Amino acid sequence: MIKLVVGLGNPGRQYEKTRHNAGFLFVDYLARECGVAFTEVARFFGEVAECKVASEKLLLLKPATFMNRSGQSVGALLKYYKLQPEQLLVVHDELDFNPGVVKLKKDGGHAGHNGLRDIIAHLGTKDFYRLRLGIGRPPAGKAVAEFVLSAPSRQESDLLDAAIKTGLDFVPQLAAGEIDAVMNRINA
């Protein structure tokens, strides 16, 4: 049963519409669907919202620590609410999938994603769920950092929105604990 949804991204207007902020975009859409707003909470080093989905309380988090230090924020919130890593869903951009692709997985490495790397380091485990939103790979000659910190094309943005909407459709099942069913459908 998922109790906390963390969207990964970087704070600040200059990063708002970048590929790397796909996770922030996801939790912003979810908060809007729930009719709730984020509030800055210093002890969690980020913005937090609380909503009800499928009759379950769901916490939403946008770390304000920048991507590379996301674990500080996630770890603080998990500890405060006494949540287990397997109750955590981290939503992030995924280079290995084309724009529009969305997949759910548990465990695994960080695959070079610095936000995931820091969360794994802070929690001391890989035992949490990840909703991976495809952004594709940079074109030849363009550095990965430059690519993820730039805005997607209009077509890529539309595909990312579609992937987010697909992921949002499964949030009630994730909150209700139907994780295997979601994995079977979303990864098919």
Side-chain angles (χ1 to χ4, degrees), residues 17-100:
K17 301 201 186 284
T18 65
R19 292 174 178 91
H20 223 18
N21 274 33
F24 273 15
L25 192 57
F26 183 91
V27 292
D28 283 340
Y29 278 33
L30 182 53
R32 209 170 13 255
E33 274 190 8
C34 290
V36 298
F38 282 93
T39 304
E40 182 95 19
V41 182
R43 86 176 91 175
F44 302 136
F45 309 97
E47 296 179 23
V48 180
E50 187 178 308
C51 66
K52 240 186 171 54
V53 176
S55 303
E56 298 292 336
K57 180 176 120 177
L58 199 59
L59 293 164
L60 311 179
L61 173 66
K62 294 188 334 185
T65 52
F66 287 91
M67 184 69 77
N68 296 354
R69 298 193 51 223
S70 299
Q72 179 182 16
S73 178
V74 174
L77 196 142
L78 281 177
K79 184 176 180 179
Y80 181 84
Y81 284 100
K82 297 177 175 60
L83 297 175
Q84 299 304 309
E86 44 292 335
Q87 295 174 302
L88 166 65
L89 175 67
V90 176
V91 185
H92 65 90
D93 57 304
E94 178 61 64
L95 287 166
D96 290 332
F97 298 148
N98 289 328

Side-chain angles (χ1 to χ4, degrees), residues 141-154:
K142 189 168 192 174
V144 170
E146 181 185 346
F147 178 73
V148 299
L149 294 175
S150 64
S153 70
R154 177 72 175 163

Side-chain angles (χ1 to χ4, degrees), residues 155-176:
Q155 181 184 9
E156 290 170 330
S157 183
D158 290 346
L159 290 167
L160 179 59
D161 280 349
I164 288 171
K165 287 177 180 138
T166 297
L168 288 171
D169 288 344
F170 290 104
V171 169
Q173 286 177 276
L174 293 170

